[in-house]
Amino acid sequence: MIELDRDAMTPMYVQLANVLRERIRSGEIPVGRRLPSQSELEAETGGVVSRRTIKSALEVLVAEGLVQGVQGKGVYVIAKP
């Protein structure tokens, strides 16, 4: 389960990106592995975030060069932070 703080000053998408980044850093999601899908992430957060929020979090990780989307396959880890 992913715990996010709705009342925090940090936006939800940044909180989610931080959780995913830490999972990559710790090796929980290794390089070459697919990240959970948007619907899986939505379920992991208990439905408290929208798909747009999840997409924004993934865009942060793409911009950092940690993950890459593969058309029709998902988002894969390509580097460790």
Side-chain angles (χ1 to χ4, degrees):
M1 186 71 155
I2 297 175
E3 297 288 329
L4 302 176
D5 183 358
R6 286 176 118 7
D7 298 323
M9 296 215 23
T10 306
M12 298 281 278
Y13 78 95
V14 173
Q15 292 180 52
L16 181 57
N18 291 342
V19 168
L20 294 172
R21 188 183 306 104
E22 178 56 29
R23 286 183 175 182
I24 294 167
R25 190 201 60 72
S26 72
E28 184 180 335
I29 306 174
V31 173
R33 182 72 47 92
R34 182 181 65 83
L35 289 179
S37 69
Q38 287 187 10
S39 58
E40 290 168 333
L41 287 171
E42 188 176 14
E44 267 196 79
T45 60
V48 299
V49 296
S50 68
R51 291 209 178 194
R52 179 65 209 148
T53 300
I54 293 168
K55 189 170 194 266
S56 294
L58 295 175
E59 288 170 353
V60 169
L61 299 177
V62 167
E64 292 175 1
L66 299 178
V67 301
Q68 177 180 335
V70 178
Q71 185 74 29
K73 298 257 184 196
V75 179
Y76 289 82
V77 177
I78 58 173
K80 282 186 116 176

PDB file of all heavy atoms in Angstrom, residues 2-31:
ATOM      1  N   ILE A   2       0.537   2.192  -0.822  1.00  0.00           N
ATOM      2  CA  ILE A   2       1.256   3.463  -0.900  1.00  0.00           C
ATOM      3  C   ILE A   2       0.495   4.485  -0.074  1.00  0.00           C
ATOM      4  O   ILE A   2      -0.679   4.748  -0.326  1.00  0.00           O
ATOM      5  CB  ILE A   2       1.387   3.939  -2.358  1.00  0.00           C
ATOM      6  CG1 ILE A   2       2.207   2.949  -3.175  1.00  0.00           C
ATOM      7  CG2 ILE A   2       2.012   5.326  -2.413  1.00  0.00           C
ATOM      8  CD1 ILE A   2       2.280   3.277  -4.664  1.00  0.00           C
ATOM      9  N   GLU A   3       1.175   5.050   0.918  1.00  0.00           N
ATOM     10  CA  GLU A   3       0.566   6.064   1.786  1.00  0.00           C
ATOM     11  C   GLU A   3       0.966   7.455   1.298  1.00  0.00           C
ATOM     12  O   GLU A   3       2.159   7.773   1.248  1.00  0.00           O
ATOM     13  CB  GLU A   3       1.045   5.871   3.227  1.00  0.00           C
ATOM     14  CG  GLU A   3       0.638   4.546   3.839  1.00  0.00           C
ATOM     15  CD  GLU A   3      -0.835   4.458   4.149  1.00  0.00           C
ATOM     16  OE1 GLU A   3      -1.453   5.500   4.453  1.00  0.00           O
ATOM     17  OE2 GLU A   3      -1.367   3.342   4.077  1.00  0.00           O
ATOM     18  N   LEU A   4      -0.014   8.266   0.939  1.00  0.00           N
ATOM     19  CA  LEU A   4       0.230   9.639   0.527  1.00  0.00           C
ATOM     20  C   LEU A   4      -0.529  10.571   1.459  1.00  0.00           C
ATOM     21  O   LEU A   4      -1.622  10.243   1.915  1.00  0.00           O
ATOM     22  CB  LEU A   4      -0.211   9.860  -0.922  1.00  0.00           C
ATOM     23  CG  LEU A   4       0.449   8.967  -1.973  1.00  0.00           C
ATOM     24  CD1 LEU A   4      -0.158   9.236  -3.338  1.00  0.00           C
ATOM     25  CD2 LEU A   4       1.946   9.160  -2.002  1.00  0.00           C
ATOM     26  N   ASP A   5       0.052  11.736   1.725  1.00  0.00           N
ATOM     27  CA  ASP A   5      -0.556  12.700   2.649  1.00  0.00           C
ATOM     28  C   ASP A   5      -1.249  13.802   1.864  1.00  0.00           C
ATOM     29  O   ASP A   5      -0.596  14.670   1.294  1.00  0.00           O
ATOM     30  CB  ASP A   5       0.531  13.272   3.559  1.00  0.00           C
ATOM     31  CG  ASP A   5      -0.012  14.226   4.613  1.00  0.00           C
ATOM     32  OD1 ASP A   5      -1.239  14.480   4.620  1.00  0.00           O
ATOM     33  OD2 ASP A   5       0.791  14.717   5.420  1.00  0.00           O
ATOM     34  N   ARG A   6      -2.574  13.755   1.834  1.00  0.00           N
ATOM     35  CA  ARG A   6      -3.347  14.758   1.095  1.00  0.00           C
ATOM     36  C   ARG A   6      -3.166  16.162   1.655  1.00  0.00           C
ATOM     37  O   ARG A   6      -3.364  17.138   0.956  1.00  0.00           O
ATOM     38  CB  ARG A   6      -4.830  14.402   1.146  1.00  0.00           C
ATOM     39  CG  ARG A   6      -5.223  13.239   0.264  1.00  0.00           C
ATOM     40  CD  ARG A   6      -6.674  12.900   0.446  1.00  0.00           C
ATOM     41  NE  ARG A   6      -7.644  12.974  -0.619  1.00  0.00           N
ATOM     42  CZ  ARG A   6      -7.480  13.197  -1.904  1.00  0.00           C
ATOM     43  NH1 ARG A   6      -6.313  13.433  -2.375  1.00  0.00           N
ATOM     44  NH2 ARG A   6      -8.478  13.194  -2.758  1.00  0.00           N
ATOM     45  N   ASP A   7      -2.829  16.273   2.947  1.00  0.00           N
ATOM     46  CA  ASP A   7      -2.707  17.579   3.583  1.00  0.00           C
ATOM     47  C   ASP A   7      -1.295  18.157   3.532  1.00  0.00           C
ATOM     48  O   ASP A   7      -1.071  19.276   4.004  1.00  0.00           O
ATOM     49  CB  ASP A   7      -3.160  17.479   5.049  1.00  0.00           C
ATOM     50  CG  ASP A   7      -4.631  17.076   5.156  1.00  0.00           C
ATOM     51  OD1 ASP A   7      -5.424  17.521   4.318  1.00  0.00           O
ATOM     52  OD2 ASP A   7      -4.958  16.309   6.073  1.00  0.00           O
ATOM     53  N   ALA A   8      -0.357  17.409   2.971  1.00  0.00           N
ATOM     54  CA  ALA A   8       1.033  17.876   2.907  1.00  0.00           C
ATOM     55  C   ALA A   8       1.165  19.012   1.895  1.00  0.00           C
ATOM     56  O   ALA A   8       0.352  19.141   0.973  1.00  0.00           O
ATOM     57  CB  ALA A   8       1.960  16.732   2.523  1.00  0.00           C
ATOM     58  N   MET A   9       2.199  19.816   2.082  1.00  0.00           N
ATOM     59  CA  MET A   9       2.463  20.904   1.130  1.00  0.00           C
ATOM     60  C   MET A   9       3.011  20.352  -0.183  1.00  0.00           C
ATOM     61  O   MET A   9       2.889  20.993  -1.219  1.00  0.00           O
ATOM     62  CB  MET A   9       3.444  21.914   1.735  1.00  0.00           C
ATOM     63  CG  MET A   9       2.840  22.590   2.937  1.00  0.00           C
ATOM     64  SD  MET A   9       3.232  24.300   3.242  1.00  0.00           S
ATOM     65  CE  MET A   9       3.721  25.015   1.745  1.00  0.00           C
ATOM     66  N   THR A  10       3.608  19.170  -0.131  1.00  0.00           N
ATOM     67  CA  THR A  10       4.152  18.536  -1.335  1.00  0.00           C
ATOM     68  C   THR A  10       2.997  17.970  -2.162  1.00  0.00           C
ATOM     69  O   THR A  10       2.162  17.233  -1.632  1.00  0.00           O
ATOM     70  CB  THR A  10       5.105  17.387  -0.946  1.00  0.00           C
ATOM     71  OG1 THR A  10       6.100  17.883  -0.055  1.00  0.00           O
ATOM     72  CG2 THR A  10       5.759  16.780  -2.167  1.00  0.00           C
ATOM     73  N   PRO A  11       2.955  18.304  -3.457  1.00  0.00           N
ATOM     74  CA  PRO A  11       1.864  17.793  -4.300  1.00  0.00           C
ATOM     75  C   PRO A  11       1.833  16.262  -4.321  1.00  0.00           C
ATOM     76  O   PRO A  11       2.870  15.608  -4.180  1.00  0.00           O
ATOM     77  CB  PRO A  11       2.200  18.342  -5.692  1.00  0.00           C
ATOM     78  CG  PRO A  11       3.100  19.508  -5.445  1.00  0.00           C
ATOM     79  CD  PRO A  11       3.857  19.189  -4.195  1.00  0.00           C
ATOM     80  N   MET A  12       0.651  15.713  -4.514  1.00  0.00           N
ATOM     81  CA  MET A  12       0.472  14.262  -4.503  1.00  0.00           C
ATOM     82  C   MET A  12       1.337  13.577  -5.562  1.00  0.00           C
ATOM     83  O   MET A  12       1.905  12.523  -5.308  1.00  0.00           O
ATOM     84  CB  MET A  12      -1.000  13.912  -4.732  1.00  0.00           C
ATOM     85  CG  MET A  12      -1.934  14.429  -3.666  1.00  0.00           C
ATOM     86  SD  MET A  12      -1.928  13.445  -2.202  1.00  0.00           S
ATOM     87  CE  MET A  12      -3.027  12.158  -2.690  1.00  0.00           C
ATOM     88  N   TYR A  13       1.441  14.164  -6.756  1.00  0.00           N
ATOM     89  CA  TYR A  13       2.218  13.517  -7.808  1.00  0.00           C
ATOM     90  C   TYR A  13       3.698  13.456  -7.442  1.00  0.00           C
ATOM     91  O   TYR A  13       4.384  12.493  -7.766  1.00  0.00           O
ATOM     92  CB  TYR A  13       1.988  14.175  -9.176  1.00  0.00           C
ATOM     93  CG  TYR A  13       2.726  15.474  -9.410  1.00  0.00           C
ATOM     94  CD1 TYR A  13       3.959  15.472 -10.054  1.00  0.00           C
ATOM     95  CD2 TYR A  13       2.197  16.695  -9.013  1.00  0.00           C
ATOM     96  CE1 TYR A  13       4.643  16.657 -10.293  1.00  0.00           C
ATOM     97  CE2 TYR A  13       2.861  17.867  -9.235  1.00  0.00           C
ATOM     98  CZ  TYR A  13       4.088  17.855  -9.878  1.00  0.00           C
ATOM     99  OH  TYR A  13       4.774  19.018 -10.103  1.00  0.00           O
ATOM    100  N   VAL A  14       4.198  14.466  -6.727  1.00  0.00           N
ATOM    101  CA  VAL A  14       5.603  14.467  -6.284  1.00  0.00           C
ATOM    102  C   VAL A  14       5.794  13.407  -5.206  1.00  0.00           C
ATOM    103  O   VAL A  14       6.789  12.678  -5.208  1.00  0.00           O
ATOM    104  CB  VAL A  14       6.025  15.862  -5.776  1.00  0.00           C
ATOM    105  CG1 VAL A  14       7.418  15.824  -5.173  1.00  0.00           C
ATOM    106  CG2 VAL A  14       5.945  16.882  -6.905  1.00  0.00           C
ATOM    107  N   GLN A  15       4.834  13.281  -4.294  1.00  0.00           N
ATOM    108  CA  GLN A  15       4.899  12.245  -3.263  1.00  0.00           C
ATOM    109  C   GLN A  15       4.943  10.858  -3.903  1.00  0.00           C
ATOM    110  O   GLN A  15       5.751  10.004  -3.498  1.00  0.00           O
ATOM    111  CB  GLN A  15       3.698  12.324  -2.320  1.00  0.00           C
ATOM    112  CG  GLN A  15       3.661  13.549  -1.439  1.00  0.00           C
ATOM    113  CD  GLN A  15       2.426  13.530  -0.548  1.00  0.00           C
ATOM    114  OE1 GLN A  15       2.157  12.546   0.138  1.00  0.00           O
ATOM    115  NE2 GLN A  15       1.674  14.624  -0.568  1.00  0.00           N
ATOM    116  N   LEU A  16       4.099  10.634  -4.902  1.00  0.00           N
ATOM    117  CA  LEU A  16       4.061   9.341  -5.574  1.00  0.00           C
ATOM    118  C   LEU A  16       5.367   9.089  -6.330  1.00  0.00           C
ATOM    119  O   LEU A  16       5.911   7.978  -6.277  1.00  0.00           O
ATOM    120  CB  LEU A  16       2.862   9.262  -6.521  1.00  0.00           C
ATOM    121  CG  LEU A  16       2.692   7.957  -7.279  1.00  0.00           C
ATOM    122  CD1 LEU A  16       2.594   6.766  -6.317  1.00  0.00           C
ATOM    123  CD2 LEU A  16       1.466   8.020  -8.178  1.00  0.00           C
ATOM    124  N   ALA A  17       5.876  10.103  -7.009  1.00  0.00           N
ATOM    125  CA  ALA A  17       7.162   9.953  -7.706  1.00  0.00           C
ATOM    126  C   ALA A  17       8.261   9.599  -6.711  1.00  0.00           C
ATOM    127  O   ALA A  17       9.121   8.755  -6.997  1.00  0.00           O
ATOM    128  CB  ALA A  17       7.503  11.234  -8.473  1.00  0.00           C
ATOM    129  N   ASN A  18       8.238  10.207  -5.530  1.00  0.00           N
ATOM    130  CA  ASN A  18       9.241   9.913  -4.496  1.00  0.00           C
ATOM    131  C   ASN A  18       9.156   8.460  -4.048  1.00  0.00           C
ATOM    132  O   ASN A  18      10.192   7.803  -3.860  1.00  0.00           O
ATOM    133  CB  ASN A  18       9.076  10.856  -3.295  1.00  0.00           C
ATOM    134  CG  ASN A  18       9.449  12.285  -3.605  1.00  0.00           C
ATOM    135  OD1 ASN A  18      10.141  12.568  -4.579  1.00  0.00           O
ATOM    136  ND2 ASN A  18       8.979  13.205  -2.785  1.00  0.00           N
ATOM    137  N   VAL A  19       7.946   7.946  -3.871  1.00  0.00           N
ATOM    138  CA  VAL A  19       7.758   6.545  -3.464  1.00  0.00           C
ATOM    139  C   VAL A  19       8.309   5.609  -4.536  1.00  0.00           C
ATOM    140  O   VAL A  19       9.050   4.667  -4.233  1.00  0.00           O
ATOM    141  CB  VAL A  19       6.261   6.247  -3.193  1.00  0.00           C
ATOM    142  CG1 VAL A  19       6.020   4.751  -3.052  1.00  0.00           C
ATOM    143  CG2 VAL A  19       5.784   6.983  -1.961  1.00  0.00           C
ATOM    144  N   LEU A  20       7.964   5.871  -5.791  1.00  0.00           N
ATOM    145  CA  LEU A  20       8.441   5.022  -6.881  1.00  0.00           C
ATOM    146  C   LEU A  20       9.950   5.111  -7.040  1.00  0.00           C
ATOM    147  O   LEU A  20      10.626   4.098  -7.264  1.00  0.00           O
ATOM    148  CB  LEU A  20       7.730   5.388  -8.187  1.00  0.00           C
ATOM    149  CG  LEU A  20       6.225   5.108  -8.208  1.00  0.00           C
ATOM    150  CD1 LEU A  20       5.589   5.675  -9.462  1.00  0.00           C
ATOM    151  CD2 LEU A  20       5.947   3.615  -8.084  1.00  0.00           C
ATOM    152  N   ARG A  21      10.508   6.316  -6.915  1.00  0.00           N
ATOM    153  CA  ARG A  21      11.963   6.501  -6.997  1.00  0.00           C
ATOM    154  C   ARG A  21      12.671   5.689  -5.913  1.00  0.00           C
ATOM    155  O   ARG A  21      13.682   5.044  -6.159  1.00  0.00           O
ATOM    156  CB  ARG A  21      12.318   7.983  -6.879  1.00  0.00           C
ATOM    157  CG  ARG A  21      13.779   8.287  -7.139  1.00  0.00           C
ATOM    158  CD  ARG A  21      14.120   9.765  -6.955  1.00  0.00           C
ATOM    159  NE  ARG A  21      13.289  10.658  -7.744  1.00  0.00           N
ATOM    160  CZ  ARG A  21      12.287  11.401  -7.255  1.00  0.00           C
ATOM    161  NH1 ARG A  21      11.996  11.364  -5.960  1.00  0.00           N
ATOM    162  NH2 ARG A  21      11.600  12.191  -8.045  1.00  0.00           N
ATOM    163  N   GLU A  22      12.121   5.703  -4.704  1.00  0.00           N
ATOM    164  CA  GLU A  22      12.715   4.951  -3.601  1.00  0.00           C
ATOM    165  C   GLU A  22      12.629   3.446  -3.857  1.00  0.00           C
ATOM    166  O   GLU A  22      13.567   2.706  -3.555  1.00  0.00           O
ATOM    167  CB  GLU A  22      12.022   5.311  -2.278  1.00  0.00           C
ATOM    168  CG  GLU A  22      12.541   4.559  -1.083  1.00  0.00           C
ATOM    169  CD  GLU A  22      14.040   4.684  -0.853  1.00  0.00           C
ATOM    170  OE1 GLU A  22      14.642   5.708  -1.219  1.00  0.00           O
ATOM    171  OE2 GLU A  22      14.629   3.734  -0.292  1.00  0.00           O
ATOM    172  N   ARG A  23      11.529   2.985  -4.440  1.00  0.00           N
ATOM    173  CA  ARG A  23      11.405   1.560  -4.781  1.00  0.00           C
ATOM    174  C   ARG A  23      12.457   1.153  -5.809  1.00  0.00           C
ATOM    175  O   ARG A  23      12.991   0.052  -5.750  1.00  0.00           O
ATOM    176  CB  ARG A  23      10.008   1.247  -5.303  1.00  0.00           C
ATOM    177  CG  ARG A  23       8.945   1.235  -4.241  1.00  0.00           C
ATOM    178  CD  ARG A  23       7.615   0.834  -4.832  1.00  0.00           C
ATOM    179  NE  ARG A  23       6.593   0.710  -3.809  1.00  0.00           N
ATOM    180  CZ  ARG A  23       5.351   0.324  -4.070  1.00  0.00           C
ATOM    181  NH1 ARG A  23       4.981   0.032  -5.295  1.00  0.00           N
ATOM    182  NH2 ARG A  23       4.480   0.233  -3.072  1.00  0.00           N
ATOM    183  N   ILE A  24      12.734   2.050  -6.750  1.00  0.00           N
ATOM    184  CA  ILE A  24      13.760   1.775  -7.760  1.00  0.00           C
ATOM    185  C   ILE A  24      15.139   1.779  -7.103  1.00  0.00           C
ATOM    186  O   ILE A  24      15.950   0.871  -7.307  1.00  0.00           O
ATOM    187  CB  ILE A  24      13.686   2.802  -8.911  1.00  0.00           C
ATOM    188  CG1 ILE A  24      12.371   2.649  -9.681  1.00  0.00           C
ATOM    189  CG2 ILE A  24      14.883   2.659  -9.849  1.00  0.00           C
ATOM    190  CD1 ILE A  24      12.058   3.803 -10.623  1.00  0.00           C
ATOM    191  N   ARG A  25      15.402   2.794  -6.282  1.00  0.00           N
ATOM    192  CA  ARG A  25      16.695   2.918  -5.619  1.00  0.00           C
ATOM    193  C   ARG A  25      16.997   1.706  -4.744  1.00  0.00           C
ATOM    194  O   ARG A  25      18.110   1.199  -4.728  1.00  0.00           O
ATOM    195  CB  ARG A  25      16.758   4.194  -4.775  1.00  0.00           C
ATOM    196  CG  ARG A  25      18.159   4.515  -4.238  1.00  0.00           C
ATOM    197  CD  ARG A  25      18.144   5.441  -3.044  1.00  0.00           C
ATOM    198  NE  ARG A  25      17.424   4.919  -1.901  1.00  0.00           N
ATOM    199  CZ  ARG A  25      17.834   3.927  -1.112  1.00  0.00           C
ATOM    200  NH1 ARG A  25      18.959   3.320  -1.346  1.00  0.00           N
ATOM    201  NH2 ARG A  25      17.102   3.528  -0.090  1.00  0.00           N
ATOM    202  N   SER A  26      15.990   1.222  -4.020  1.00  0.00           N
ATOM    203  CA  SER A  26      16.183   0.101  -3.097  1.00  0.00           C
ATOM    204  C   SER A  26      16.284  -1.242  -3.808  1.00  0.00           C
ATOM    205  O   SER A  26      16.638  -2.237  -3.192  1.00  0.00           O
ATOM    206  CB  SER A  26      15.044   0.055  -2.083  1.00  0.00           C
ATOM    207  OG  SER A  26      13.846  -0.373  -2.709  1.00  0.00           O
ATOM    208  N   GLY A  27      15.935  -1.274  -5.090  1.00  0.00           N
ATOM    209  CA  GLY A  27      15.977  -2.523  -5.838  1.00  0.00           C
ATOM    210  C   GLY A  27      14.671  -3.289  -5.794  1.00  0.00           C
ATOM    211  O   GLY A  27      14.556  -4.370  -6.367  1.00  0.00           O
ATOM    212  N   GLU A  28      13.667  -2.746  -5.107  1.00  0.00           N
ATOM    213  CA  GLU A  28      12.358  -3.393  -5.070  1.00  0.00           C
ATOM    214  C   GLU A  28      11.791  -3.514  -6.487  1.00  0.00           C
ATOM    215  O   GLU A  28      11.135  -4.498  -6.825  1.00  0.00           O
ATOM    216  CB  GLU A  28      11.404  -2.605  -4.170  1.00  0.00           C
ATOM    217  CG  GLU A  28      10.056  -3.246  -3.986  1.00  0.00           C
ATOM    218  CD  GLU A  28       9.131  -2.445  -3.086  1.00  0.00           C
ATOM    219  OE1 GLU A  28       9.621  -1.662  -2.239  1.00  0.00           O
ATOM    220  OE2 GLU A  28       7.912  -2.605  -3.233  1.00  0.00           O
ATOM    221  N   ILE A  29      12.050  -2.484  -7.294  1.00  0.00           N
ATOM    222  CA  ILE A  29      11.718  -2.530  -8.721  1.00  0.00           C
ATOM    223  C   ILE A  29      13.051  -2.371  -9.462  1.00  0.00           C
ATOM    224  O   ILE A  29      13.557  -1.259  -9.616  1.00  0.00           O
ATOM    225  CB  ILE A  29      10.747  -1.408  -9.145  1.00  0.00           C
ATOM    226  CG1 ILE A  29       9.486  -1.406  -8.282  1.00  0.00           C
ATOM    227  CG2 ILE A  29      10.366  -1.578 -10.619  1.00  0.00           C
ATOM    228  CD1 ILE A  29       8.539  -0.252  -8.548  1.00  0.00           C
ATOM    229  N   PRO A  30      13.654  -3.480  -9.891  1.00  0.00           N
ATOM    230  CA  PRO A  30      14.989  -3.413 -10.499  1.00  0.00           C
ATOM    231  C   PRO A  30      14.981  -2.867 -11.927  1.00  0.00           C
ATOM    232  O   PRO A  30      13.938  -2.829 -12.587  1.00  0.00           O
ATOM    233  CB  PRO A  30      15.456  -4.864 -10.475  1.00  0.00           C
ATOM    234  CG  PRO A  30      14.216  -5.680 -10.407  1.00  0.00           C
ATOM    235  CD  PRO A  30      13.170  -4.843  -9.739  1.00  0.00           C
ATOM    236  N   VAL A  31      16.160  -2.469 -12.388  1.00  0.00           N
ATOM    237  CA  VAL A  31      16.335  -2.003 -13.770  1.00  0.00           C
ATOM    238  C   VAL A  31      15.875  -3.116 -14.706  1.00  0.00           C
ATOM    239  O   VAL A  31      16.185  -4.291 -14.502  1.00  0.00           O
ATOM    240  CB  VAL A  31      17.807  -1.623 -14.034  1.00  0.00           C
ATOM    241  CG1 VAL A  31      18.018  -1.309 -15.509  1.00  0.00           C
ATOM    242  CG2 VAL A  31      18.222  -0.441 -13.171  1.00  0.00           C
TER     243      VAL A  31
END
